[in-house]
Amino acid sequence: ILLLSNSLYFNTHFQHLGHIFFLVHLLAYLISIMGNMLIITIIWADHRLQTPMYFFLSNFSFIECCFITSVIPKLLTIFLSGRQTISFAACFTQDFVFLFLGATVFFLLSVLSLDRYLAICKPLHYPTIMNPRTCYLLVASCLALGFFFMVVPVAMLSQLTFCGPNVIPHFFCDFGPLTNLSCSDTRSIEILFFNLAFFVLGSSLVITIIAYSNIVVTVMRLPSAKERQRAFSTCSSHLLVLSLMYVSCVFIYVKPNQASRLDSNREAALVNTVVTPLLNPLIYTLRNKQVHQALRDALSRVKLQK
């Protein structure tokens, strides 16, 4: 049995605030889940949104729901019950699911960037390249890469010896705190994880930078100021989400020694598990005019049926 002991939440001075923490995180979790589920429902219900970009966004929203569900419900249970324990099996399962879905999200973000690049910079070739078969293959590839990149280091870590104290200084089971618990030599696993995390974040970041650099050049050549403003509005919202996610994940995971900076990792992890999932539905889709129109039409149909 492991004990989750995060001073950020579980400090004895803040125990009386457990119910407040519970309500705040429950509200954030429900808003994230409902926002993402609303996006998925609108996209699949409205034929005008049956395009590659919205297909990728619906998959992104679904994986985001799974991603935060791997962490927040357990945290809510701790706030309610006060029991901070978790079994080794559950802890490693949570760690793997969190890392697998997290890596998949970054691969999907690079696919979204590539999609916007093709739509804006290669509009004539876009329908041919981004056909339904290609879209399904890209999403499947993101899931496969996320799985294979994260299953190896987590499986290797689970085979090590853990001799106590079995206390995790975090609010969920992450790779760094688990590595810190082992009394075996973890250098080879830490180097492997560092290289994999660097590749996942670095490759998706490079693709995103190249894609958006080309988009900016293309947008600047548009003759209409209205078209330029519309394109920059879409891109800027995407880049805001990307910046938050990349900065926090690079800070947490791209370091050779996973046991370092554990205290500050907790605050950075909050950005990934609470803040960006809360912002993503608003920034990525719900501020989109096409989605607004689809939502208004859906509400109009509901009123007519009544």
Side-chain angles (χ1 to χ4, degrees), residues 41-298:
T41 305
I42 292 170
I43 288 172
W44 288 102
D46 196 300
H47 66 90
R48 291 168 299 182
L49 301 181
Q50 304 294 314
T51 63
M53 183 184 83
Y54 290 107
F55 172 75
F56 294 132
L57 280 173
S58 64
N59 281 277
F60 178 82
S61 293
F62 176 73
I63 291 171
E64 187 90 315
C65 288
C66 298
F67 176 73
I68 57 176
T69 300
S70 69
V71 173
I72 302 300
K74 176 62 180 176
L75 183 60
L76 294 175
T77 304
I78 292 171
F79 286 144
L80 263 185
S81 66
R83 291 192 297 271
Q84 298 165 220
T85 57
I86 185 171
S87 68
F88 265 94
C91 192
F92 279 102
T93 301
Q94 184 187 57
D95 183 36
F96 168 69
V97 171
F98 177 81
L99 293 173
F100 155 54
L101 294 174
T104 303
V105 163
F106 279 102
F107 286 127
L108 264 179
L109 286 172
S110 62
V111 168
L112 277 164
S113 302
L114 185 62
D115 174 77
R116 290 299 81 210
Y117 161 74
L118 291 170
I120 294 172
C121 303
K122 309 285 183 183
L124 296 178
H125 301 288
Y126 180 70
T128 306
I129 298 171
M130 283 297 181
N131 57 65
R133 184 172 178 272
T134 303
C135 293
Y136 282 110
L137 279 173
L138 284 170
V139 172
S141 299
C142 291
L143 287 163
L145 286 170
F147 178 86
F148 288 116
F149 272 53
M150 292 300 130
V151 72
V152 175
V154 175
M156 289 175 66
L157 183 63
S158 68
Q159 301 304 309
L160 298 182
T161 303
F162 295 87
C163 49
N166 295 334
V167 179
I168 299 175
H170 213 314
F171 60 89
F172 71 99
C173 297
D174 205 358
F175 194 85
L178 276 173
T179 304
N180 196 41
L181 290 184
S182 176
C183 48
S184 305
D185 185 5
T186 61
R187 281 177 294 180
S188 60
I189 296 177
E190 288 184 272
I191 291 170
L192 172 65
F193 185 77
F194 167 78
N195 289 328
L196 291 174
F198 183 81
F199 179 82
V200 171
L201 295 170
S203 61
S204 58
L205 181 60
V206 167
I207 291 170
T208 301
I209 290 172
I210 292 172
Y212 277 100
S213 298
N214 281 279
I215 287 170
V216 169
V217 172
T218 303
V219 167
M220 292 301 292
R221 293 174 182 168
L222 292 175
S224 168
K226 189 176 181 180
E227 287 178 345
R228 288 198 298 271
Q229 184 181 3
R230 180 183 171 187
F232 274 126
S233 175
T234 304
C235 294
S236 61
S237 61
H238 293 186
L239 288 171
L240 176 60
V241 175
L242 290 168
S243 300
L244 282 171
M245 294 184 71
Y246 279 116
V247 169
S248 58
C249 283
V250 167
F251 182 82
I252 296 171
Y253 298 112
V254 183
K255 54 185 181 181
N257 183 5
Q258 287 296 312
S260 65
R261 296 202 309 255
L262 289 180
D263 289 338
S264 50
N265 281 3
R266 294 191 293 259
E267 286 76 6
L270 274 176
V271 175
N272 288 333
T273 55
V274 179
V275 179
T276 52
L278 196 62
L279 294 176
N280 281 343
L282 299 172
I283 290 175
Y284 252 94
T285 311
L286 295 181
R287 69 190 293 272
N288 186 295
K289 290 181 181 178
Q290 287 177 290
V291 175
H292 283 176
Q293 187 59 50
L295 186 57
R296 280 195 294 267
D297 292 346

